[in-house]
Amino acid sequence: MTGTPETGASLTGYAVVVPTLVRHTLADCLAALAAAHGPGPDEIVLVDDRPGPDADPADLEHPLTVLGDLRERTVVLRSGGRGPAAARNTGIRAVTAPWTAFLDDDVQVGPHWRDQLMQDLAEAPPDTGAVQGVIAVPLPGERPPTDWERGTAGLARAQWITADMAYRTDVLKEVHGFDERFTRAFREDADLALRVLDAGWRIRRGRRTTRHPVRPASRWVSLKQQRGNADDALMRRLHGPEWWAKAVAPRGRIRRHAVITAAGAAAVALAAAGRPRAAAVAGLGWAAGTAEFARARIAPGPRTRQEVTTMLVTSALIPPAATWHRLSGLWRHRSAPAWREVAA
């Protein structure tokens, strides 16, 4: 740990960095920030991460108008569609305030968020490099949540998520910001936090609260999420095989997915080789594993026809997708050095 800051209210000035794809949620995010009580940010850096030259700047006109007086403190930058890690790094480079508070463009800060953030920062000891906000995920009260809603609700228990996370700006620069090889909104926040902790800083939880609504999603969203298994492979290279425990992250089902996928592949290969009995045994193994996975996802949910159908189909497709993405990640990042080797 280098450059330990001094305490003092003068060092609680903050900037807000919001990476965005200019989704419809952005206006609500900025309106909540503008309406919150307390000292405003020194600067707001809105990073437009839409890919390509065809992104229309006019799409930002309405979201910017909801900022009111804060509009004068706001700058809009482009990051070229390289993902949230690269977008946040673009924002960090523009920040001059002592603290950088990251918000996602689909959250809504609480009515006293600005006051509470200032209190969180003022109470941070000199060895604290970051202060995490409290995330609240509203769920339907009239029925059990769907698989997607339960997954979003897990954000309330997650460590170090950048939906609402404030870092000392000097600390971000000390550890070289986010790793831009994480091109999705997955694991880039845990990687950053582990590097900050490895550098000797502490991360504490603050009092401020931010609401994270469950956004609408395709019924195939769980299948698309399996791309994150490639990011898990990079985490293993950077932080070792026990990175799960360090990051206080659920280990997930990748081992079971690999076994189910192997059983299915074996059933097909054995059938093609003219060994029907062995193929049937392997096929039963695949069916049993898939059925257990589907049941685990269906049982706590609303069990509507659409939800059950979606869970049955995706439970058959997820194991091979997860296994493929994990293997491709292991190959793609096979030469990535550990973080400590890079830091040394």
Side-chain angles (χ1 to χ4, degrees), residues 69-319:
D69 293 342
L70 294 180
R71 177 64 182 90
E72 299 176 355
R73 310 182 193 182
T74 303
V75 60
V76 177
L77 304 176
R78 293 291 304 276
S79 53
R82 294 178 292 129
R88 293 191 190 103
N89 283 345
T90 299
I92 292 167
R93 288 190 287 271
V95 169
T96 59
W99 288 87
T100 300
F102 296 106
L103 294 175
D104 286 348
D105 71 352
D106 56 353
V107 305
Q108 299 161 18
V109 300
H112 301 283
W113 185 85
R114 282 154 48 174
D115 270 332
Q116 292 169 337
L117 173 63
M118 291 296 288
Q119 184 178 3
D120 285 345
L121 303 185
E123 294 177 352
D127 64 347
T128 296
V131 185
Q132 178 178 347
V134 177
I135 302 297
V137 180
L139 293 176
E142 71 281 3
R143 59 166 174 79
T146 63
D147 181 69
W148 169 241
E149 290 167 342
R150 293 194 305 274
T152 304
L155 296 175
R157 303 183 298 273
Q159 293 274 20
W160 315 316
I161 60 171
T162 42
D164 181 356
M165 190 75 176
Y167 278 94
R168 294 189 192 272
T169 305
D170 287 344
V171 170
L172 291 169
K173 294 176 180 179
E174 178 186 335
V175 300
H176 310 297
F178 291 85
D179 189 327
E180 298 183 9
R181 287 172 293 186
F182 293 96
T183 56
R184 289 169 289 275
F186 191 68
R187 302 303 188 206
E188 84 290 353
D189 44 13
D191 166 68
L192 174 65
L194 288 179
R195 287 187 280 116
V196 168
L197 293 171
D198 281 346
W201 295 91
R202 296 177 62 190
I203 300 176
R204 62 185 291 270
R205 187 177 291 269
R207 296 187 181 91
R208 67 190 187 278
T209 301
T210 291
R211 185 173 177 266
H212 193 308
V214 180
R215 68 176 185 270
S218 159
R219 67 190 305 179
W220 309 112
V221 65
S222 59
L223 190 61
K224 295 178 181 178
Q225 286 181 310
Q226 301 314 308
R227 297 172 183 171
N229 283 283
D231 299 314
D232 285 350
L234 178 55
M235 287 292 286
R236 181 185 175 91
R237 291 293 305 173
L238 295 175
H239 302 286
E242 300 303 318
W243 75 266
W244 302 88
K246 296 177 184 177
V248 197
R251 191 171 183 85
R253 283 178 165 260
I254 187 60
R255 292 181 178 179
R256 295 186 189 185
H257 290 335
V259 171
I260 292 170
T261 301
V268 172
L270 289 167
R275 300 176 60 186
R277 291 185 179 180
V281 171
L284 285 173
W286 172 86
T290 301
E292 184 278 329
F293 181 37
R295 182 184 181 282
R297 301 173 71 208
I298 292 170
R303 305 186 195 179
T304 61
R305 177 178 296 181
Q306 178 171 326
E307 177 76 357
V308 170
T309 301
T310 300
M311 293 301 99
L312 288 173
V313 174
T314 56
S315 293
L317 298 175
I318 283 174

